[in-house]
Amino acid sequence: SALVAGLVTQPIDVVKTRLMTQAASSQVPYKSAFDCAASIVRTEGWTRLYSGLRQRSVYMCGLWGITFGVEPLLREYIEKAAADR
C-alpha cells in the first residue's frame, strides 16, 4: 500500500515543490497547480513528475522494514512487562 501511495502522491509532491520554489526561480511563475503539472509534462516529459520516487521508495522500504521488524519485539517486551506486574 505504501508503494501505491507513493505512486499516487509523488506527482503532487513534485508540483508542490515547484510551486513553493518558483519565487526563487527566474522562470515565469505558474498560474496554478494544473498549469505547473501541464508545463512539466509539456517541457520535461511525464516521467519528471515521478522524479525522486526511487529515493522515496528506498526511504519507505527501510522505514517499513524497521517497523515490521521491531514491532513484534516491542509487543513481546510490553506484554512480558505487563505480565510481571
Side-chain angles (χ1 to χ4, degrees), residues 75-85:
R75 182 182 300 266
E76 181 181 331
Y77 175 78
I78 291 169
E79 288 173 352
K80 184 178 178 185
D84 289 344
R85 284 188 190 193

Side-chain angles (χ1 to χ4, degrees), residues 5-85:
L7 289 172
V8 171
T9 60
Q10 187 65 29
I12 297 167
D13 284 343
V14 170
V15 170
K16 175 198 64 139
T17 302
R18 293 282 182 99
L19 289 171
M20 290 174 61
T21 58
Q22 72 181 352
S25 174
S26 61
Q27 293 180 334
V28 176
Y30 301 111
K31 297 174 185 156
S32 66
F34 292 111
D35 177 52
C36 179
S39 176
I40 291 170
V41 171
R42 185 175 51 253
T43 60
E44 302 174 47
W46 67 271
T47 57
R48 182 59 77 178
L49 291 173
Y50 289 93
S51 62
L53 184 61
R54 182 178 301 142
Q55 294 86 345
R56 185 179 197 175
S57 298
V58 168
Y59 163 76
M60 293 303 288
C61 287
L63 175 68
W64 286 108
I66 291 169
T67 300
F68 286 127
V70 171
E71 189 268 337
L73 300 173
L74 287 176
R75 182 182 300 266
E76 181 181 331
Y77 175 78
I78 291 169
E79 288 173 352
K80 184 178 178 185
D84 289 344
R85 284 188 190 193

